[in-house]
Amino acid sequence: MKHEDYMRQAFALSKRAKGQNFPNPLVGAVIVKDGRIIGEGYHKRYGSHHAEIEAIHSATESIEGSDIYVTLEPCCHTNKQTPPCAQRLIKEKFKRVIISCLDPNPHVNGDGVKLLEEAGIEVIHGVLKDEGEKINEVFFHSQKTKFPFVNLKLAQSLDGKIALPTGESQWITGVMAREHAHHQRSLHQAILIGANTLRIDNPKLNVRLPEYQGDQPFRVVFTKSGDLDFSSHLFTDELKNKTIIYTQTPIATPLLPENVVVINQIEDALRDLYQRKIINLYLEGGSTLAGEFLKRKLINRISLYLAPTILGEGLPSIKGLHLNKLSERLDLENIEIENLAPDIFLTASFKR
């Protein structure tokens, strides 16, 4: 097998923890000796063993002189809950370490490779680098910008409407699309809406899937006026301590004081969320908030549910994004399409 084959196996392992180990990255590791895989592992949850350590613990024979394939550069610092991995690889006397991506964390960022090489271990990095970065697009973005990664969810008709003029919107999309959207929720740390969506829909913003046992996401509400109905689900249910309000107007609420933050602009809220180690946001509503995020270039991915129906004079999915020239349009790339009959799901990133 080639380097790429073993690295793809490590990628497959890393994806098992998708949605479960934030704010850490998805990492998989494969130990190879004499052309045989003798150990595998992945980072399962924040605070648990890293992928390299899991692979070492799973090894079926002596790992001295083996190669290890890792999707992300082994850490080398002690500024975290778990011991550093690069030092452990040196101790275990690996012959080679093959890496997909260098770690953008400033506490690592090449230092892990340097430490391994100084110990006499051969290091190869950059194997399927683009694929590795895509798997960890959330982690890479948050490390580089100190902002959360924002995924804008839209569920709309063919003519771009999310509701009738009366506000009626349940349901534009079908059963498969709605179940898919709950799966998407499970892959994010927090769901974000505007105050108007809260007033109209009184949503729960939780994951409602059969047999789902993962963490429920935080619920984040943006409001300018502070005019909120505190009898809504987000402020009264069993998850109310996972509700966070960002307001431009000081207000009294039934929430924990630290979960009500006065801000001047959207970026203030995103910085605060990053400080809370919330790095993956699912923006579900409404259309004005979506337009404002797009204007500020704060959307990293769009996830669109497109229903085969026309609503006519309804409410648009995006408001306030005024473009005067075709050259100002926001183009997408890396487009993926899935059939959720009768609907279509499309997800894509913005062209760099």
Side-chain angles (χ1 to χ4, degrees):
M1 293 175 68
K2 299 178 181 179
H3 288 323
E4 290 80 5
D5 297 320
Y6 291 120
M7 192 60 72
R8 288 192 177 96
Q9 174 63 14
F11 286 153
L13 290 164
S14 74
K15 292 176 185 177
R16 293 182 184 179
K18 196 169 184 180
Q20 300 174 22
N21 66 351
F22 291 122
N24 285 358
L26 298 171
V27 184
V30 174
I31 299 174
V32 177
K33 188 172 186 178
D34 300 327
R36 296 172 292 108
I37 294 177
I38 64 168
E40 295 181 333
Y42 67 99
H43 180 50
K44 297 176 181 177
R45 294 188 70 85
Y46 177 72
S48 68
H49 289 310
H50 284 191
E52 299 93 321
I53 309 305
E54 288 282 350
I56 289 169
H57 289 172
S58 76
T60 56
E61 59 185 87
S62 170
I63 56 179
E64 184 175 343
S66 300
D67 297 338
I68 185 167
Y69 291 78
V70 191
T71 59
L72 192 69
E73 178 183 10
C75 59
C76 57
H77 62 96
T78 56
N79 186 30
K80 52 189 175 59
Q81 292 190 348
T82 52
C85 295
Q87 289 89 324
R88 179 65 181 273
L89 299 184
I90 294 169
K91 179 182 178 181
E92 298 291 346
K93 299 181 180 179
F94 278 94
K95 179 182 178 182
R96 287 192 305 182
V97 178
I98 300 93
I99 301 165
S100 176
C101 303
L102 297 182
D103 191 337
N105 185 332
H107 294 292
V108 187
N109 198 20
D111 287 346
V113 169
K114 182 179 178 182
L115 193 68
L116 292 168
E117 290 179 333
E118 288 176 347
I121 296 175
E122 180 185 353
V123 179
I124 300 170
H125 62 84
V127 176
L128 300 177
K129 177 175 175 289
D130 290 345
E131 192 172 333
E133 289 184 354
K134 183 179 178 182
I135 289 170
N136 273 312
E137 62 180 359
V138 170
F139 178 74
F140 273 69
H141 171 81
S142 66
Q143 287 295 316
K144 291 175 181 177
T145 66
K146 309 305 178 189
F147 274 20
F149 184 98
V150 182
N151 184 358
L152 171 60
K153 176 219 172 180
L154 300 173
Q156 65 181 47
S157 62
L158 288 175
D159 53 343
K161 301 302 191 297
I162 59 172
L164 295 173
T166 60
E168 182 182 355
S169 62
Q170 295 182 345
W171 296 99
I172 293 175
T173 55
V175 174
M176 284 184 65
R178 297 200 295 274
E179 183 176 330
H180 188 277
H182 275 276
H183 176 69
Q184 289 292 302
R185 281 183 176 180
S186 75
L187 302 180
H188 293 78
Q189 285 178 284
I191 303 170
L192 168 62
I193 61 169
N196 198 45
T197 298
L198 177 67
R199 286 189 284 266
I200 294 172
D201 295 341
N202 187 20
K204 295 181 178 179
L205 302 185
N206 57 0
V207 179
R208 298 188 295 278
L209 291 173
E211 301 179 3
Y212 177 73
Q213 297 181 347
D215 293 335
Q216 289 290 344
F218 285 86
R219 294 90 60 88
V220 181
V221 181
F222 277 24
T223 175
K224 289 183 178 180
S225 66
D227 179 18
L228 302 172
D229 180 359
F230 291 112
S231 67
S232 302
H233 293 304
L234 299 191
F235 309 117
T236 57
D237 66 14
E238 68 279 7
L239 298 172
K240 66 181 181 181
N241 287 343
K242 298 192 79 170
T243 298
I244 304 172
I245 296 174
Y246 291 101
T247 175
Q248 292 184 335
T249 306
I251 52 174
T253 81
L255 300 183
L256 298 171
E258 61 266 28
N259 284 358
V260 183
V261 183
V262 178
I263 60 169
N264 292 317
Q265 55 186 355
I266 289 174
E267 288 83 353
D268 297 334
L270 296 183
R271 291 187 190 95
D272 183 72
L273 287 167
Y274 177 82
Q275 291 300 316
R276 295 171 187 256
K277 296 185 177 181
I278 296 175
I279 66 169
N280 199 9
L281 296 181
Y282 201 38
L283 173 50
E284 287 203 11
S287 55
T288 300
L289 192 60
E292 192 62 36
F293 266 73
L294 285 167
K295 280 195 294 186
R296 295 170 180 263
K297 294 182 168 53
L298 295 173
I299 301 294
N300 306 106
R301 174 169 289 279
I302 284 185
S303 293
L304 168 67
Y305 296 90
L306 188 62
T309 188
I310 294 175
L311 296 185
E313 295 298 325
L315 303 179
S317 58
I318 297 170
K319 289 182 181 179
L321 186 64
H322 303 294
L323 305 181
N324 298 312
K325 301 176 183 178
L326 203 56
S327 59
E328 296 174 352
R329 66 188 180 186
L330 307 178
D331 290 328
L332 301 174
E333 62 181 1
N334 303 318
I335 297 170
E336 300 175 18
I337 298 175
E338 187 175 348
N339 182 10
L340 300 174
D343 308 306
I344 293 172
F345 175 70
L346 179 152
T347 184
S349 55
F350 286 99
K351 285 187 176 179
R352 299 175 183 176

